[in-house]
Amino acid sequence: MASKVPRVKLSNGQSIPILGLGTWGSPPGEVAQAVKDAIDIGYRHIDCAHVYQNEHEVGEGVNAKIKEGVVKREDIFVTSKLWNTFHRPDLVEGACRATLKNLGLDYLDLYLIHWPMAYKEGDALFPTDENGKTAYSDVDFVDTWKAMEKLVGLGLTKGVGISNFNSKQVERVLQVAKIKPVVNQIECHPYLAQVKLSPFCAQRGLVVTAYSPLGSPNRPWAKPDDPQLMEDPKIVSIAKKYKKTPAQILIRYQIQRGHVVIPKSVNKARIQSNFEVFDFELTEDDIKLITTFDCNGRLVPITSSDNSPYYPFKAAF
């Protein structure tokens, strides 16, 4: 079954479906079914990561659909990410192989450095020092990048990229890269529209993948009085105009900016609804209006790491 999702060409010749299923924070035990539902609906791009601790479920869902003959492996674009405790160059290949083992796959389509800062190596995903603060490793991400490039030659991943890197960090990777990063996956939604970082990446041949496009309503640290993007009256009124849901407007907003977008859900009706974004277009005025909501409203600031020299969110963009 061919999927009707448009694809975006990456600088290495690969193409990535512009809409994918995100799996961050999805409840354990529900991810495999969500992936199966998504593939049945027509999704061909699944985004996962070691730190989400559900890659085995993602793999279960993907492999079930391959076995049923709904899709072939090459029809599905699978992205995963190198966690912060594996930045040391000698650990990168093993981390990638562990992800592949969890997924039950022979290769990834895209493997990203999840964050620019490195954590202390070991079994803890969020290691701490004796004061309970984040424990870092002094690995520089440009050295991690060189190890990432080797994975392509080994056939473990087709493409490599970065995530949560600011403009200066993107530039530093490009200066050393023999294989260029094809994607920078960043938080992006109307409250954090990335009006500088997005064109900066595009000019350098990196495609932006937008995570938390719906404002990450289920993020564990949300406070009761935090603004809810999907309830924003201005978004709601645009949704009414198009007879669409606020989520569909927010997803369409990213697509029309040329961003790959990975909304997350385990609810079949919502996974279906999030997919129904190819039968309408926002006007340029709508897009301009939505972009004016930008207030640098970062929802995933990972402030526990803001004392790392590689913390990305102190730069202008």
Side-chain angles (χ1 to χ4, degrees), residues 10-12 14 110 145 159-161 180-184 205-208:
L10 299 176
S11 62
N12 64 354
Q14 282 179 284
L110 181 59
W145 183 256
V160 277
K180 286 190 171 173
V182 292
V183 157
N184 189 11
L206 283 83
V207 167
V208 164

Side-chain angles (χ1 to χ4, degrees), residues 81-108:
K81 309 177 194 86
L82 177 80
W83 184 237
N84 308 357
T85 50
F86 303 107
H87 278 213
R88 212 174 66 206
D90 62 301
L91 299 177
V92 171
E93 183 187 329
C96 183
R97 288 188 186 278
T99 275
L100 288 170
K101 190 176 173 210
N102 284 333
L103 288 166
L105 298 175
D106 297 331
Y107 68 89
L108 292 167

Side-chain angles (χ1 to χ4, degrees), residues 171-191:
E171 208 59 272
R172 280 195 68 217
V173 171
L174 289 171
Q175 277 162 6
V176 302
K178 291 191 176 73
I179 297 176
K180 286 190 171 173
V182 292
V183 157
N184 189 11
Q185 183 177 128
I186 53 177
E187 179 183 340
C188 189
H189 44 75
Y191 294 160

Side-chain angles (χ1 to χ4, degrees), residues 3-8 15-22 38-39 41-47 75-79 207-210 213-214 247-248 250-256 258-265 270-280:
S3 173
K4 59 170 197 240
V5 179
R7 297 175 80 100
V8 178
S15 70
I16 182 170
I18 200 159
L19 176 64
L21 179 75
I39 291 171
I41 287 162
Y43 287 76
R44 294 293 177 265
H45 170 192
I46 312 290
D47 181 271
D75 299 332
I76 299 277
F77 194 103
V78 181
T79 302
V207 167
V208 164
T209 295
L214 310 180
Q248 288 167 329
L250 295 169
I251 293 166
R252 186 73 212 176
Y253 169 70
Q254 298 295 344
I255 289 171
Q256 285 186 228
H259 295 166
V260 174
V261 59
I262 46 170
K264 168 199 83 190
S265 181
R270 276 201 291 273
I271 294 171
Q272 175 75 52
S273 166
N274 290 347
F275 191 73
E276 290 167 1
V277 290
F278 300 109
D279 57 354
F280 77 107

Side-chain angles (χ1 to χ4, degrees), residues 40 45 52 63 75 87 95 137 155 195 200 203-204 213 221 258 311:
D40 284 339
H45 170 192
Y52 306 164
N63 285 304
D75 299 332
H87 278 213
S137 164
V195 288
F200 177 91
Q203 283 153 7
R204 287 155 184 78
W221 51 86
Y311 181 74

